[in-house]
């Protein structure tokens, strides 16, 4: 396809975690991508915690791997420590979390961009979009002027009309003193899009050489071969992993905060944006949980090339002199020197109910939004949205059916459904409790759930797909072996566990029994760590998994009832006015999605179903 210098298939605005996934997804299927950013320093920036993963979030990163995205590869390549969280709990809440080297992470992505022939990096500010009759055809940049494209994906993160707050200081800038966008917000409003004002923040960074590590608790990683990527396993040996540490706030810390809380930008009325409910500032914690005597603070390394340590749990917008007092009140940090002070940042985001589940806007064709601009928080949530926006841009350009992930298919599906169906009041964070099917959406099986999509779109290579198919065969062979071999034939196991069970499959259901113990050495050698983990979960949690699958089958009937033909809910006169207004705003694609719209009750659903059934008979 011949293209002029300023004409592309896809434009991606922003080079954060969402923008990078969108850009590389499109580039990897040979689409020409213009990747526009305000500064090269913002590429793969980790302005908050230096980590990837965590509860639910780590599973999103594995889903990104299964779909053919980038975050899992990058996190594995740049890890300082890897941990399996909730290892003593059920399979539905286990997840990986990696401490990453934020400097290396940035450099890794810069290198990937430079080595990708289908991506053109442009350092500029997008001032406006080119829209005619609600159809988008490109952007206008402040320096480069007009750039044409068939699809535009906005992943502006926290850079739209951003304002940094530290005490009574208010500075118009992006994260870490980077440039911000001061034109795009007003332009989006002029197009008819509704914007909301949100706030997030970050803790102080201290000189790691001024911490007294002797008096605080060590927090090592997990001793085992752990990585995010399913197809190219990269491990950091346990002995080479960095340590994190745990300390706590105390009564003195709390008194300092309470005495000075009127000086916080958050409590002085200077910040209008709504902050994250599930990642509150230390001021919020002290105020909301005033009876709690202490709060956890994790001290985490940021990079082998930096002298800074990140104090997770100490996000604040208090003035610098108060921050010094707070840090010095904490055990182990009495002499710690702050290198970078904490700040809060306000920014513009869009109301995500204006999006289809493909992340394309309902108002303007060819325009997509992904990441923190959709009202989310977290690198993983952003990356998952960016990848899905990129995939759906690919599908539209190649005339494939759109990809809409279901709630029982992926955490990414849960998140996008929540965003476009319910909207946000504060920065959205993925939690295991948001997923009603979390035993199906496990850390071990994202590849089984999503690889077919990644392969069909063209993001999973034939060799990786073949590797996965072989692993499936190996697992099936092992399951068959366990069911067909009796315990009595294994005299050592019979002596240890008795003859109360007939086959090895039943024996493996016991929590203390491992696969290595019951399997023949020849079969065991054919399995990698991921396959071993999969088999143990499938066997030990078989009953729970089957129950959840029955539950999914029971309620899937609603998800299969298509509502696309209902263009105006005011035609359903029996619906309440509230239901008509809300459904016309959301435009749910299925009856299942309609069920999740706030304020829609069972009577409303029955009226809609009756209307659909009646129209089928005509």
């Amino acid at each position: 396809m011949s293209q002029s210098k300023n004409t592309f298939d896809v434009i991606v605005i922003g080079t954060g975690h969402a923008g990078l996934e969108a850009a590389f997804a499109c580039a990897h299927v040979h689409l020409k991508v213009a990747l526009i950013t305000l500064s090269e320093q913002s590429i793969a920036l980790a302005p908050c915690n230096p980590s990837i993963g965590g509860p639910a979030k780590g599973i999103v990163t594995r889903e990104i791997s299964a779909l053919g995205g980038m975050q899992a590869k990058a996190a594995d390549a740049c890890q300082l420590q890897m941990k399996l969280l909730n290892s003593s709990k059920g399979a539905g809440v286990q997840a990986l979390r990696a401490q990453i080297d934020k400097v290396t992470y940035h450099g890794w992505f810069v290198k990937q961009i430079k080595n990708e022939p289908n991506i053109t990096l442009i350092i500029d500010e997008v001032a406006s979009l080119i829209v005619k009759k609600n159809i988008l055809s490109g952007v206008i940049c402040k320096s480069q002027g007009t750039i044409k494209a068939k699809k535009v994906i906005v992943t502006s993160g926290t850079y739209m009309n951003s304002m940094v707050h530290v005490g009574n200081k208010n500075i118009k800038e992006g994260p870490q003193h980077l440039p911000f966008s001061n034109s795009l917000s007003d332009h989006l409003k002029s197009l008819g899009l509704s914007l909301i004002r949100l706030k997030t923040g970050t803790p102080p960074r201290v000189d790691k050489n001024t911490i007294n590590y002797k008096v605080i608790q060590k927090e090592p990683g997990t001793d085992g071969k752990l990585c995010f990527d399913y197809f190219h396993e990269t491990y950091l040996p346990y002995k080479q992993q960095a340590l994190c540490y745990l300390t706590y706030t105390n009564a003195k810390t709390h008194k300092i905060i309470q005495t000075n809380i009127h000086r916080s930008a958050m409590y002085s009325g200077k910040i209008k944006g709504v902050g994250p409910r599930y990642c509150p500032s230390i001021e919020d914690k002290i105020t909301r949980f005033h009876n709690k005597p202490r709060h956890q603070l994790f001290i985490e390394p940021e990079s082998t090339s930096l002298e800074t340590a990140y104090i997770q749990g100490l996000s604040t917008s208090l003035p610098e002199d108060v921050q010094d007092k707070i840090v010095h009140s904490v055990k182990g940090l009495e002499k710690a020197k702050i290198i970078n002070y904490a700040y809060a940042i306000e920014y513009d985001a869009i109301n995500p109910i204006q999006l289809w589940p493909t992340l394309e806007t309902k108002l303007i064709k060819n325009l997509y939004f992904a990441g923190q601009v959709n009202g989310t928080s977290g690198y993983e949530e952003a990356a998952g949205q960016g990848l899905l926006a990129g995939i759906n841009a690919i599908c539209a350009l190649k005339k494939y059916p759109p990809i809409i992930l279901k709630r029982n298919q992926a955490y990414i599906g849960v998140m996008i459904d929540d965003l476009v169906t319910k909207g946000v009041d504060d920065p959205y964070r993925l939690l295991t409790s948001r997923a009603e099917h979390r035993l199906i959406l496990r850390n071990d099986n994202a590849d089984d759930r999503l690889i077919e999509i990644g392969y069909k779109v063209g993001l999973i290579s034939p060799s990786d797909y073949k590797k996965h198919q072989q692993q499936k065969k190996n697992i099936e062979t092992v399951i068959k072996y366990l069911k067909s071999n009796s315990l009595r034939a294994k005299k050592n196991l019979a002596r240890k566990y008795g003859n109360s069970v007939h086959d090895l499959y039943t024996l493996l259901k016991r929590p203390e029994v491992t696969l290595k113990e019951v399997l023949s050495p020849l079969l065991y050698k054919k399995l990698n760590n991921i396959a071993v983990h999969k088999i143990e979960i499938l066997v030990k949690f078989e009953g729970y998994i089957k129950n959840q699958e029955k539950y999914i089958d029971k309620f899937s009937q609603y998800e299969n009832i298509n509502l696309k033909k209902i263009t105006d809910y005011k035609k359903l006169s029996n619906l309440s006015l509230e239901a008509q207004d809300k459904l016309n705003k959301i435009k749910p694609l299925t009856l299942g999605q309609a069920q999740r719209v706030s304020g829609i009750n069972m009577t409303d659903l029955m009226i809609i179903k009756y209307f659909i059934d009646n129209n089928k008979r005509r």
Side-chain angles (χ1 to χ4, degrees), residues 357-468:
T358 59
L359 298 181
E360 186 178 21
T361 62
K362 297 171 183 174
L363 183 64
I364 300 167
K365 190 170 177 57
N366 302 328
L367 175 62
Y368 300 74
F369 283 83
Q372 278 190 270
V373 71
N374 286 346
T376 59
S377 66
Y379 311 145
E380 305 81 5
E381 287 94 333
Q385 291 172 70
L387 181 55
L388 259 291
I391 285 173
N392 277 304
I394 293 165
C395 290
L397 290 170
K398 292 184 177 283
K399 310 298 183 190
Y400 300 158
I403 300 299
I404 298 172
L405 297 177
K406 296 176 183 176
R407 295 182 71 88
N408 61 3
Q409 195 174 14
Y411 267 99
I412 298 172
V414 172
M415 168 179 60
I416 292 175
D417 182 66
D418 282 348
L419 292 174
V420 304
T421 304
K422 301 173 183 175
V424 296
D425 296 316
D426 52 80
Y428 176 97
R429 181 180 181 180
L430 259 176
L431 307 165
T432 53
S433 59
R434 293 193 191 273
E436 57 272 37
H437 310 302
R438 57 183 174 271
L439 191 53
I440 301 298
L441 310 180
R442 302 189 307 275
N443 176 66
D444 68 284
N445 71 345
D447 55 341
D448 298 321
R449 292 184 270 119
L450 299 171
I451 192 171
E452 293 294 338
I453 294 172
Y455 182 61
K456 285 175 183 175
V457 172
L459 297 179
I460 296 292
S461 69
S463 60
D464 286 344
Y465 184 73
K466 187 178 178 182
K467 189 189 298 183
H468 176 264

Side-chain angles (χ1 to χ4, degrees), residues 236-247:
L236 181 65
Y238 180 68
K239 289 182 179 178
Q240 295 177 26
Q241 291 187 20
L243 282 170
C244 296
Y245 294 85
L246 174 63
T247 186

Side-chain angles (χ1 to χ4, degrees), residues 317-335:
S317 62
L318 282 159
E320 293 173 0
D321 63 304
V322 180
Q323 290 187 40
D324 282 321
K325 291 175 184 175
I326 291 169
V327 168
H328 295 153
S329 72
V330 175
K331 188 176 182 180
L333 303 179
E334 292 88 350
K335 296 182 179 180

Side-chain angles (χ1 to χ4, degrees), residues 1-11 26-27 29-34 117-120 137 146-151 397-398:
M1 185 189 301
S2 63
Q3 290 176 303
S4 68
K5 183 182 175 184
N6 279 357
T7 302
F8 296 85
D9 295 308
V10 180
I11 292 170
C26 296
V29 296
H30 311 296
L31 296 175
K32 296 298 179 185
V33 179
N118 293 317
I119 292 179
T120 300
S137 59
T146 298
I147 303 176
K148 291 292 188 79
K150 298 165 187 171
K151 304 287 177 184
L397 290 170
K398 292 184 177 283

Side-chain angles (χ1 to χ4, degrees), residues 29 35-36 101 120 142 219 261 271 294 342 346 447 616:
V29 296
L35 181 57
I36 306 175
D101 188 313
T120 300
K142 287 195 170 178
E219 288 287 321
I261 200 159
I271 294 178
R294 64 179 191 172
E346 268 187 297
D447 55 341
K616 280 181 183 176

Side-chain angles (χ1 to χ4, degrees), residues 99-118:
Q99 293 299 138
I100 59 164
D101 188 313
K102 63 188 288 184
V103 176
T104 307
Y105 196 82
H106 163 78
W108 189 91
F109 268 107
V110 170
K111 185 178 178 181
Q112 299 298 317
I113 292 169
K114 289 178 178 176
N115 290 339
E116 177 48 68
N118 293 317

Side-chain angles (χ1 to χ4, degrees), residues 161-189:
N161 198 23
S162 51
M163 173 85 76
V164 168
H165 300 269
V166 183
N168 61 1
K169 291 184 195 173
N170 318 114
I171 310 156
K172 292 283 282 182
E173 63 181 11
Q176 296 187 4
H177 310 297
L178 292 174
F180 72 102
S181 167
N182 61 8
S183 304
L184 195 53
S185 287
D186 288 340
H187 176 68
L188 293 174
K189 288 177 191 174

